[in-house]
Amino acid sequence: MKVLLHDLKNIDLTNKADQVIVADGKYAPCQGCFKCWTKHPATCALKDSLQEMCRILGQADELTIITENYYGGYSPNVKRLLDRSIGTSTPMSTYRGGLMHHTLRYWKHDSLRVIVYGDIVEAEKETWRQMVKANSLNNGFTDYSVEFMNEWEGSVL
Amino acid sequence: MKTVFIDCSPKQRLSASGFVATFTRMFVFGRKVQCKLRTPKDFQPIFEEIKDADSIVFCMPLYVDGIPSHILPFLKEMENKFTNKNVYVIANNGFIEGRQNEPLMQNMENFCHRANLNWCGGLGIGGGVMMNVMRIMFCVVCALSLLQVVLNGFDFSLLKDSLDDALVILILCCGIISFDLWLAYCINNGKEYGKHYTRIMLPSFVFIVCADIFFTIISLFQGGIFRGWFSKKKPTM
């Protein structure tokens, strides 16, 4: 399944993937309770549109994220969604890439593609490369890529 | 000299970030204030505190390899509000390797450059959850030992076993304590700290077993084990 997650306002990308998620920010941030692991697995304790988001991201073979640049990291709306989706993994731990990580609830995914738009300086690009590499390892993606653009260009999809 | 400690954990009580903020604060001199940053309502009171501060210490957990989402709007609003402030970061993550905090440290360094603040470095702590559990255990062990001593007519020889337990905890946390003291020294002297990573002093394969046991016990009590603990659940909404 191809999943597209983006924070673009007033741009319709409905037909660009099997499932398109708009990170509109109309949901609460993660409370760090771990109940999506320990109490009601793969279900967030907060009852809003992200309650079962991890189930969608967990089943993505190809995940594309379009995000505004925030200091070499995701925009608040996208990050809020990712923070609320740690139910894609289980509380058990293992080694991946020589580092400790949680075991995956679903399966290994094919590719993580991150498209970053906005004003980005060189140091932030370097941070992005490390960030996406770490995300890819953390979430069990086989392949990853990161692209930069000053303004959103629909032709990249 | 004034230092503002910002506890960036979304947890109301007993957070690891709140603990490292309080612990570091003990070794920092001058005026010091500790604030909790959980919701947008907290922004303005913290900005008021920062106005006349020399140093700001962000204490935060690592969420999905980066800064927790509720902190990002605060940082955006803080851009170009202040100048000539020293910024330090203490990050902690659940995994054993402290260096997994590196992308977060770079995010904060990038923020400082955009916000015209002095990036002075940060400390990344691996095994933050275990550190938090151990500090609670440390307090419980000390309280129980003192109670035992009092109930037995002030027989201080009973303290020996509990001192051993306390010593083990201190040894496991010796890296965190020493790197944190060094950070406090740099805050006191307005010096650059650089980026340093430390951890709970356990081999990772032992730590993984401890973490698995910890989550199994919690999941058993909260019932997650019986509700499809590892199941590949499909969306119902």
Side-chain angles (χ1 to χ4, degrees), chain B residues 168-181 198-201:
Chain B
V168 170
I169 292 175
L170 286 176
I171 290 170
L172 290 175
C173 292
C174 66
I176 299 171
I177 294 169
S178 42
F179 273 100
D180 198 63
L181 290 178
T198 185
R199 60 192 273 174
I200 294 284
M201 294 298 159

Side-chain angles (χ1 to χ4, degrees), chain A residues 23-124:
Chain A
D24 57 11
K26 293 175 183 167
Y27 34 75
C30 175
Q31 299 299 300
C33 66
F34 291 138
K35 284 180 182 164
C36 56
W37 282 342
T38 59
K39 193 169 183 180
H40 27 64
T43 314
C44 181
L46 303 171
K47 292 177 177 54
D48 58 21
S49 60
L50 298 188
Q51 201 179 7
E52 293 187 355
M53 186 48 69
C54 68
R55 302 184 186 198
I56 299 170
L57 295 189
Q59 297 190 54
D61 299 306
E62 293 177 29
L63 175 62
T64 303
I65 302 177
I66 302 167
T67 175
E68 189 182 352
N69 171 49
Y70 263 66
Y71 318 118
Y74 298 97
S75 70
N77 290 353
V78 171
K79 187 65 175 31
R80 201 181 274 200
L81 194 146
L82 296 176
D83 288 355
R84 291 274 303 276
S85 302
I86 60 162
T88 51
S89 57
T90 80
M92 295 294 107
S93 299
T94 184
Y95 289 106
R96 251 198 321 278
L99 295 170
M100 181 183 167
H101 286 292
H102 288 290
T103 57
L104 302 173
R105 178 176 301 281
Y106 294 88
W107 44 78
K108 278 216 133 193
H109 314 280
D110 294 334
S111 62
L112 170 65
R113 181 186 182 196
V114 180
I115 304 167
V116 188
Y117 67 90
D119 170 31
I120 313 167
V121 298
E122 201 47 50
E124 289 171 338

Side-chain angles (χ1 to χ4, degrees), chain B residues 12-26:
Chain B
Q12 301 247 28
R13 280 169 277 118
L14 294 176
S15 72
S17 305
F19 166 66
V20 285
T22 308
F23 184 78
T24 314
R25 208 181 60 189
M26 282 163 40

Side-chain angles (χ1 to χ4, degrees), chain B residues 189-200:
Chain B
N189 294 285
K191 284 190 172 177
E192 196 171 320
Y193 178 67
K195 276 187 288 189
H196 300 282
Y197 299 108
T198 185
R199 60 192 273 174
I200 294 284

Side-chain angles (χ1 to χ4, degrees), chain A residues 129-147:
Chain A
R129 289 182 194 106
Q130 291 198 31
M131 174 76 77
V132 177
K133 185 182 177 187
N135 288 161
S136 162
L137 188 62
N138 217 346
N139 293 300
F141 284 92
T142 309
D143 199 15
Y144 67 90
S145 66
V146 54
E147 297 152 54

